[in-house]
Amino acid sequence: MGRHMLTELLNLVAGLLVALAVAAAVAWAYPLGRDVIWACGIFGAVATVLMSIGPLRRAQLLDRSGR
């Protein structure tokens, strides 16, 4: 695995951790909305993964080209 791909994967993991940490903190702070908050947090995590597909593909191409 090249450095570009590794960088993008680390960014993806960091984004997922932040999305879930924010959802957990907000759900803890407002227990009446816990279910809706977690649904939004999971939606944010899925959106983070979907938005990472393009950069991951570009990173893979960069690593294969040797740049």
Side-chain angles (χ1 to χ4, degrees), residues 19-20 37-50:
L20 295 177
I37 292 166
W38 274 113
C40 291
I42 297 212
F43 178 78
V46 169
T48 301
V49 170
L50 292 176

PDB file of all heavy atoms in Angstrom, residues 19-20 37-50:
ATOM      1  N   ALA A  19     -17.174  11.710  13.319  1.00  0.00           N
ATOM      2  CA  ALA A  19     -18.630  11.669  13.141  1.00  0.00           C
ATOM      3  C   ALA A  19     -19.294  10.886  14.268  1.00  0.00           C
ATOM      4  O   ALA A  19     -20.311  11.313  14.833  1.00  0.00           O
ATOM      5  CB  ALA A  19     -18.977  11.062  11.787  1.00  0.00           C
ATOM      6  N   LEU A  20     -18.726   9.745  14.611  1.00  0.00           N
ATOM      7  CA  LEU A  20     -19.318   8.922  15.665  1.00  0.00           C
ATOM      8  C   LEU A  20     -19.090   9.517  17.056  1.00  0.00           C
ATOM      9  O   LEU A  20     -19.955   9.403  17.927  1.00  0.00           O
ATOM     10  CB  LEU A  20     -18.779   7.493  15.575  1.00  0.00           C
ATOM     11  CG  LEU A  20     -19.182   6.767  14.280  1.00  0.00           C
ATOM     12  CD1 LEU A  20     -18.547   5.388  14.220  1.00  0.00           C
ATOM     13  CD2 LEU A  20     -20.692   6.678  14.136  1.00  0.00           C
ATOM     14  N   ILE A  37     -30.547  11.217  16.833  1.00  0.00           N
ATOM     15  CA  ILE A  37     -29.148  11.665  16.798  1.00  0.00           C
ATOM     16  C   ILE A  37     -28.249  10.559  16.266  1.00  0.00           C
ATOM     17  O   ILE A  37     -27.372  10.799  15.428  1.00  0.00           O
ATOM     18  CB  ILE A  37     -28.701  12.143  18.198  1.00  0.00           C
ATOM     19  CG1 ILE A  37     -29.441  13.434  18.553  1.00  0.00           C
ATOM     20  CG2 ILE A  37     -27.196  12.334  18.252  1.00  0.00           C
ATOM     21  CD1 ILE A  37     -29.353  13.825  20.004  1.00  0.00           C
ATOM     22  N   TRP A  38     -28.456   9.329  16.731  1.00  0.00           N
ATOM     23  CA  TRP A  38     -27.636   8.226  16.240  1.00  0.00           C
ATOM     24  C   TRP A  38     -27.904   7.942  14.774  1.00  0.00           C
ATOM     25  O   TRP A  38     -26.994   7.600  14.015  1.00  0.00           O
ATOM     26  CB  TRP A  38     -27.830   6.968  17.086  1.00  0.00           C
ATOM     27  CG  TRP A  38     -26.922   6.967  18.268  1.00  0.00           C
ATOM     28  CD1 TRP A  38     -27.277   7.053  19.572  1.00  0.00           C
ATOM     29  CD2 TRP A  38     -25.493   6.895  18.252  1.00  0.00           C
ATOM     30  NE1 TRP A  38     -26.151   7.055  20.357  1.00  0.00           N
ATOM     31  CE2 TRP A  38     -25.052   6.947  19.582  1.00  0.00           C
ATOM     32  CE3 TRP A  38     -24.545   6.801  17.242  1.00  0.00           C
ATOM     33  CZ2 TRP A  38     -23.702   6.909  19.922  1.00  0.00           C
ATOM     34  CZ3 TRP A  38     -23.196   6.759  17.586  1.00  0.00           C
ATOM     35  CH2 TRP A  38     -22.799   6.808  18.917  1.00  0.00           C
ATOM     36  N   ALA A  39     -29.150   8.100  14.342  1.00  0.00           N
ATOM     37  CA  ALA A  39     -29.453   7.918  12.918  1.00  0.00           C
ATOM     38  C   ALA A  39     -28.699   8.945  12.081  1.00  0.00           C
ATOM     39  O   ALA A  39     -28.130   8.613  11.029  1.00  0.00           O
ATOM     40  CB  ALA A  39     -30.957   8.019  12.680  1.00  0.00           C
ATOM     41  N   CYS A  40     -28.681  10.185  12.541  1.00  0.00           N
ATOM     42  CA  CYS A  40     -27.936  11.239  11.827  1.00  0.00           C
ATOM     43  C   CYS A  40     -26.434  10.965  11.868  1.00  0.00           C
ATOM     44  O   CYS A  40     -25.723  11.209  10.882  1.00  0.00           O
ATOM     45  CB  CYS A  40     -28.235  12.605  12.432  1.00  0.00           C
ATOM     46  SG  CYS A  40     -29.905  13.172  12.127  1.00  0.00           S
ATOM     47  N   GLY A  41     -25.940  10.472  12.988  1.00  0.00           N
ATOM     48  CA  GLY A  41     -24.517  10.137  13.092  1.00  0.00           C
ATOM     49  C   GLY A  41     -24.120   9.026  12.146  1.00  0.00           C
ATOM     50  O   GLY A  41     -23.064   9.081  11.499  1.00  0.00           O
ATOM     51  N   ILE A  42     -24.971   8.022  12.028  1.00  0.00           N
ATOM     52  CA  ILE A  42     -24.681   6.916  11.106  1.00  0.00           C
ATOM     53  C   ILE A  42     -24.769   7.413   9.663  1.00  0.00           C
ATOM     54  O   ILE A  42     -23.951   7.036   8.827  1.00  0.00           O
ATOM     55  CB  ILE A  42     -25.648   5.756  11.375  1.00  0.00           C
ATOM     56  CG1 ILE A  42     -25.376   5.283  12.769  1.00  0.00           C
ATOM     57  CG2 ILE A  42     -25.560   4.695  10.306  1.00  0.00           C
ATOM     58  CD1 ILE A  42     -25.537   3.923  13.169  1.00  0.00           C
ATOM     59  N   PHE A  43     -25.750   8.274   9.383  1.00  0.00           N
ATOM     60  CA  PHE A  43     -25.840   8.868   8.049  1.00  0.00           C
ATOM     61  C   PHE A  43     -24.568   9.664   7.737  1.00  0.00           C
ATOM     62  O   PHE A  43     -24.047   9.598   6.626  1.00  0.00           O
ATOM     63  CB  PHE A  43     -27.068   9.769   7.951  1.00  0.00           C
ATOM     64  CG  PHE A  43     -27.195  10.448   6.622  1.00  0.00           C
ATOM     65  CD1 PHE A  43     -27.667   9.762   5.521  1.00  0.00           C
ATOM     66  CD2 PHE A  43     -26.820  11.771   6.472  1.00  0.00           C
ATOM     67  CE1 PHE A  43     -27.773  10.390   4.284  1.00  0.00           C
ATOM     68  CE2 PHE A  43     -26.928  12.404   5.257  1.00  0.00           C
ATOM     69  CZ  PHE A  43     -27.399  11.712   4.147  1.00  0.00           C
ATOM     70  N   GLY A  44     -24.063  10.399   8.714  1.00  0.00           N
ATOM     71  CA  GLY A  44     -22.825  11.146   8.519  1.00  0.00           C
ATOM     72  C   GLY A  44     -21.638  10.232   8.257  1.00  0.00           C
ATOM     73  O   GLY A  44     -20.778  10.544   7.428  1.00  0.00           O
ATOM     74  N   ALA A  45     -21.594   9.098   8.951  1.00  0.00           N
ATOM     75  CA  ALA A  45     -20.510   8.143   8.735  1.00  0.00           C
ATOM     76  C   ALA A  45     -20.592   7.536   7.332  1.00  0.00           C
ATOM     77  O   ALA A  45     -19.575   7.396   6.645  1.00  0.00           O
ATOM     78  CB  ALA A  45     -20.555   7.050   9.801  1.00  0.00           C
ATOM     79  N   VAL A  46     -21.792   7.202   6.902  1.00  0.00           N
ATOM     80  CA  VAL A  46     -21.973   6.643   5.553  1.00  0.00           C
ATOM     81  C   VAL A  46     -21.606   7.691   4.504  1.00  0.00           C
ATOM     82  O   VAL A  46     -20.935   7.381   3.510  1.00  0.00           O
ATOM     83  CB  VAL A  46     -23.415   6.135   5.364  1.00  0.00           C
ATOM     84  CG1 VAL A  46     -23.701   5.799   3.913  1.00  0.00           C
ATOM     85  CG2 VAL A  46     -23.666   4.920   6.256  1.00  0.00           C
ATOM     86  N   ALA A  47     -22.015   8.936   4.717  1.00  0.00           N
ATOM     87  CA  ALA A  47     -21.669  10.006   3.784  1.00  0.00           C
ATOM     88  C   ALA A  47     -20.154  10.198   3.717  1.00  0.00           C
ATOM     89  O   ALA A  47     -19.599  10.441   2.633  1.00  0.00           O
ATOM     90  CB  ALA A  47     -22.350  11.305   4.197  1.00  0.00           C
ATOM     91  N   THR A  48     -19.479  10.068   4.847  1.00  0.00           N
ATOM     92  CA  THR A  48     -18.023  10.193   4.876  1.00  0.00           C
ATOM     93  C   THR A  48     -17.376   9.106   4.024  1.00  0.00           C
ATOM     94  O   THR A  48     -16.441   9.374   3.261  1.00  0.00           O
ATOM     95  CB  THR A  48     -17.508  10.109   6.326  1.00  0.00           C
ATOM     96  OG1 THR A  48     -18.104  11.167   7.086  1.00  0.00           O
ATOM     97  CG2 THR A  48     -16.004  10.221   6.398  1.00  0.00           C
ATOM     98  N   VAL A  49     -17.875   7.893   4.137  1.00  0.00           N
ATOM     99  CA  VAL A  49     -17.332   6.782   3.336  1.00  0.00           C
ATOM    100  C   VAL A  49     -17.595   7.030   1.849  1.00  0.00           C
ATOM    101  O   VAL A  49     -16.696   6.860   1.015  1.00  0.00           O
ATOM    102  CB  VAL A  49     -17.931   5.433   3.785  1.00  0.00           C
ATOM    103  CG1 VAL A  49     -17.569   4.321   2.823  1.00  0.00           C
ATOM    104  CG2 VAL A  49     -17.461   5.090   5.193  1.00  0.00           C
ATOM    105  N   LEU A  50     -18.812   7.436   1.508  1.00  0.00           N
ATOM    106  CA  LEU A  50     -19.143   7.663   0.101  1.00  0.00           C
ATOM    107  C   LEU A  50     -18.315   8.795  -0.503  1.00  0.00           C
ATOM    108  O   LEU A  50     -17.878   8.710  -1.661  1.00  0.00           O
ATOM    109  CB  LEU A  50     -20.632   7.955  -0.051  1.00  0.00           C
ATOM    110  CG  LEU A  50     -21.570   6.780   0.244  1.00  0.00           C
ATOM    111  CD1 LEU A  50     -23.020   7.222   0.162  1.00  0.00           C
ATOM    112  CD2 LEU A  50     -21.292   5.617  -0.689  1.00  0.00           C
TER     113      LEU A  50
END
